Amino acid sequence: MKILVLNGPNLNLLGTREPQIYGTTTLADIERDLEAAAAELGVTVECVQTNHEGVLIDRIQAAHGDANGIIINAGAYSHTSLAIRDALAAVAMPYAEVHLSNIFAREPERRHSTLAAGARAVLCGFGAPGYVLALRGLVAALRA
Ligand code: CA2
């Protein structure tokens, strides 16, 4: 079983700025923890970060026939992108939406996600550990 982990714009900056909101863990730390959890679960993960909406869409499309599920933190595109939602609907595989912060406790414009309605699960507010929790949940759902 393979899970594609997608991180969107500005998440490459994790651990370097705004630690009061996003914590001090870097994206490399998160990806290392995901790899360790995947090994324990007996699955593989492929982690991709991009600042470009079109690249996220390309990677979602390429997941068809290659991955079994997707974990996605689309960053600010989560609040705006119908194109990413359409791509996720097109590949028709279970996905978990992750956010480091509790988007519902933030500014009004962050309280809506275009991706949430189609998600198998949405996990927000636990910071970096949320990714591994999402991986465990998605793998369990795929195995059920
Ligand atoms: O809470 C999340 O995970 C977000 O997806 C993060 C996005 C934000 O636009 C969403 O509303 C919620 C922003 C990621 C920016 O990450 C940074 C990390 C360190 C320094 C600056 C930005």
Side-chain angles (χ1 to χ4, degrees), residues 9-11 13-18 22 73-76 78-79 98-101 103 106 110:
N10 297 308
L11 287 158
L13 299 176
L14 278 181
T16 64
R17 311 213 186 111
E18 300 190 76
Y22 298 116
N73 182 349
S78 313
H79 314 298
V98 172
H99 295 284
L100 295 152
S101 61
I103 58 172
R106 299 188 63 189
R110 294 187 201 273

Side-chain angles (χ1 to χ4, degrees), residues 78-95:
S78 313
H79 314 298
T80 61
S81 180
L82 294 177
I84 294 173
R85 177 167 89 186
D86 287 348
L88 288 164
V91 294
M93 69 179 68
Y95 66 93

Side-chain angles (χ1 to χ4, degrees), residues 110-130:
R110 294 187 201 273
R111 293 180 198 159
H112 177 261
S113 163
T114 62
L115 312 182
R120 179 66 179 75
V122 180
L123 209 155
C124 73
F126 278 132

Side-chain angles (χ1 to χ4, degrees), residues 3-16:
I3 307 296
L4 176 65
V5 180
L6 293 174
N7 278 290
N10 297 308
L11 287 158
N12 54 312
L13 299 176
L14 278 181
T16 64

Side-chain angles (χ1 to χ4, degrees), residues 13-100:
L13 299 176
L14 278 181
T16 64
R17 311 213 186 111
E18 300 190 76
Q20 70 285 2
I21 301 175
Y22 298 116
T24 54
T25 306
T26 66
L27 187 57
D29 294 332
I30 290 170
E31 292 180 349
R32 190 200 54 228
D33 289 350
L34 282 167
E35 296 280 357
E40 181 197 312
L41 290 164
V43 305
T44 61
V45 288
E46 180 182 5
C47 298
V48 176
Q49 188 278 330
T50 173
N51 292 323
H52 305 281
E53 185 177 24
V55 176
L56 285 170
I57 292 164
D58 288 343
R59 297 305 298 239
I60 292 165
Q61 289 183 8
H64 182 72
D66 180 56
N68 304 93
I70 297 174
I71 292 172
I72 183 165
N73 182 349
Y77 288 138
S78 313
H79 314 298
T80 61
S81 180
L82 294 177
I84 294 173
R85 177 167 89 186
D86 287 348
L88 288 164
V91 294
M93 69 179 68
Y95 66 93
E97 177 180 356
V98 172
H99 295 284
L100 295 152

